[in-house]
């Protein structure tokens, strides 16, 4: 089942501009409820994301770095997703880019 979502996420229509993914600006402020939701979503999808990224990279350390960066970027673009399914697709798309 993860493989189905992995392919779906990689083929998603989500596209990000450099402004949305840039490292210049800190993430916007987040309230406790949003933070808890984001932590829960990352916890749910982190293992599948790591497995997905490991297929693309040779180094386990590089894969871990990509997963961590993807989670940070998910926070920065949190206005682009509303549901868990959208968050997963965005997370996998970020990791793919």
């Amino acid at each position: 089942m993860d493989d189905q979502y992995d392919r779906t996420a990689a083929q998603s229509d989500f596209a990000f501009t450099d402004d949305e993914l840039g490292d210049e600006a800190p993430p916007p402020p987040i309230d406790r409820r949003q933070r808890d939701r984001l932590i829960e979503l990352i916890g749910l999808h982190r293992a599948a994301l790591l497995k997905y990224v490991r297929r693309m990279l040779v180094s386990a350390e590089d894969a871990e770095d990509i997963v961590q960066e993807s989670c940070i970027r998910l926070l920065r673009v949190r206005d682009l997703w509303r549901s868990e399914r959208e968050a997963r697709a965005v997370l996998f798309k970020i990791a793919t880019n």
Side-chain angles (χ1 to χ4, degrees), residues 33-45:
R33 188 175 57 81
Q34 288 176 323
R35 185 198 63 177
D36 292 346
R37 180 173 180 232
L38 188 64
I39 290 170
E40 180 183 352
L41 287 170
I42 290 170
L44 289 171
H45 303 298

Side-chain angles (χ1 to χ4, degrees), residues 15-42:
F16 303 105
T17 65
D18 288 338
D19 291 338
E20 291 169 327
L21 294 179
D23 292 328
E24 308 82 35
I30 187 169
D31 66 30
R32 173 176 251 160
R33 188 175 57 81
Q34 288 176 323
R35 185 198 63 177
D36 292 346
R37 180 173 180 232
L38 188 64
I39 290 170
E40 180 183 352
L41 287 170
I42 290 170

Side-chain angles (χ1 to χ4, degrees), residues 70-86:
S70 298
C71 293
I72 292 168
R73 289 181 178 194
L74 181 66
L75 171 63
R76 289 190 178 137
V77 296
R78 68 180 179 268
D79 293 336
L80 295 178
W81 52 271
R82 290 187 177 84
S83 70
E84 179 182 330
R85 187 178 180 108
E86 287 176 349

Side-chain angles (χ1 to χ4, degrees), residues 38-71:
L38 188 64
I39 290 170
E40 180 183 352
L41 287 170
I42 290 170
L44 289 171
H45 303 298
R46 190 178 183 291
L49 181 64
L50 185 58
K51 180 180 173 183
Y52 173 74
V53 173
R54 285 290 313 268
R55 285 188 221 142
M56 294 186 287
L57 302 174
V58 175
S59 168
E61 292 173 357
D62 289 344
E64 184 63 40
D65 289 344
I66 295 295
V67 168
Q68 289 178 9
E69 182 64 27
S70 298
C71 293

